[in-house]
Amino acid sequence: MRVALLSDIHANRVALEAVLADLPRVDELWVMGDTVGYGPEPAAVIAILRERGVHLVAGNHDVAVATGAGLERFNDVAATAARIHRGWLGPEEKAYLSSLPLTLERSGVTFVHGSLREPLWEYVFDERSAAPSFDLTKTRHLCCGHTHVPALFRATAAGVRGVAVRPGQRDALDERSFFNPGSVGQPRDGDPRAAWALLDTDQGVTFMRTAYDVKATQLAMRERELPDFLIARIAIGL
Ligand code: ZN
């Protein structure tokens, strides 16, 4: 089975559509949360994902936009954008976001926004934070989002080891692995192109990048009066 792994789209419709146009034929789309928050078009992104029948888990921004819960844990610009999205989305869209599960298991992979220890909030940036999820999952592999940085951790006999990832790199998944495709809508690894990954359950996971019209998203953000900091950061991918 071939699966496109997407995460942290953050209401960036232009980036999402560029990635969808770039996809090879896949059997399923899995999305690791933070579909809304930060960007200019939350309703359009929700509509596209629902139409595509994606398998989707909740992120901290999805819950905050849907219910207001956790807004106090956000920095100022994140909270501002989430409150703006709360004003734009209707009750039906918020009910949909509220209904999303925290974790899903498909084809031997558990996926979650943050970590299995703290599904909405923990950042898995290093081996120490990756290790507990290997113990908590029933599946061979794991996938998360939340950090906006593509990553790969392997459970080896010597413990959990991080592996440097670059676009086009394929990992065969011979060992138990915990991977993060990076962010479609707001990458933070210094590369502004949309990040995603292709999972082939026989051949492994390949990290991918897709260029999109960043200026179009910035223009939409400016028109919709989102914070300047959020508009600037997508051009540099930080
Ligand atoms: Zn996010």
Side-chain angles (χ1 to χ4, degrees):
M1 183 163 81
R2 275 151 62 98
V3 181
L5 307 175
L6 277 53
S7 189
D8 296 274
I9 299 164
H10 281 299
N12 190 338
R13 177 191 55 82
V14 176
L16 173 61
E17 288 187 333
V19 169
L20 294 176
D22 209 13
L23 290 185
R25 196 183 54 75
V26 292
D27 302 298
E28 295 190 352
L29 280 161
W30 301 352
V31 179
M32 269 57 71
D34 278 8
T35 294
V36 301
Y38 293 138
E41 297 184 80
V45 167
I46 291 170
I48 291 168
L49 296 185
R50 293 175 83 172
E51 189 192 307
R52 299 280 298 224
V54 304
H55 298 277
L56 178 61
V57 294
N60 54 322
H61 284 257
D62 304 319
V63 172
V65 168
T67 70
L71 273 173
E72 74 286 352
R73 296 176 72 165
F74 281 13
N75 64 41
D76 284 351
V77 288
T80 298
R83 288 194 183 95
I84 291 171
H85 284 199
R86 276 177 67 65
W88 290 343
L89 294 179
E92 204 277 328
E93 287 155 327
K94 288 181 193 160
Y96 171 71
L97 292 175
S98 297
S99 75
L100 298 174
L102 293 177
T103 64
L104 281 173
E105 289 179 25
R106 295 188 70 77
S107 302
V109 181
T110 298
F111 54 100
V112 61
H113 183 61
S115 75
L116 288 189
R117 197 160 58 172
E118 219 185 329
L120 290 177
W121 292 99
E122 183 175 27
Y123 290 94
V124 174
F125 266 122
D126 55 19
E127 292 147 352
R128 236 176 58 169
S129 50
S133 291
F134 279 107
D135 298 330
L136 290 168
T137 181
K138 297 194 282 288
T139 58
R140 179 163 168 79
H141 303 301
L142 295 136
C143 184
C144 71
H146 195 40
T147 65
H148 297 210
V149 176
L152 172 64
F153 300 94
R154 291 192 189 121
T156 72
V160 174
R161 291 283 171 266
V163 178
V165 303
R166 53 187 162 65
Q169 173 183 329
R170 181 195 284 165
D171 187 86
L173 301 181
D174 293 335
E175 292 163 300
R176 294 188 68 203
S177 301
F178 191 175
F179 35 88
N180 181 335
S183 169
V184 170
Q186 194 202 75
R188 294 180 192 161
D189 61 347
D191 181 344
R193 294 177 299 169
W196 56 285
L198 189 63
L199 172 69
D200 183 314
T201 49
D202 295 321
Q203 300 198 6
V205 64
T206 308
F207 293 86
M208 308 291 286
R209 294 311 271 250
T210 298
Y212 74 97
D213 189 348
V214 173
K215 285 196 161 58
T217 295
Q218 289 182 306
L219 183 64
M221 292 174 80
R222 213 164 281 126
E223 282 173 358
R224 306 203 77 175
E225 299 181 347
L226 286 156
D228 288 337
F229 173 76
L230 297 177
I231 298 170
R233 73 185 304 181
I234 59 169
I236 51 173
L238 285 174

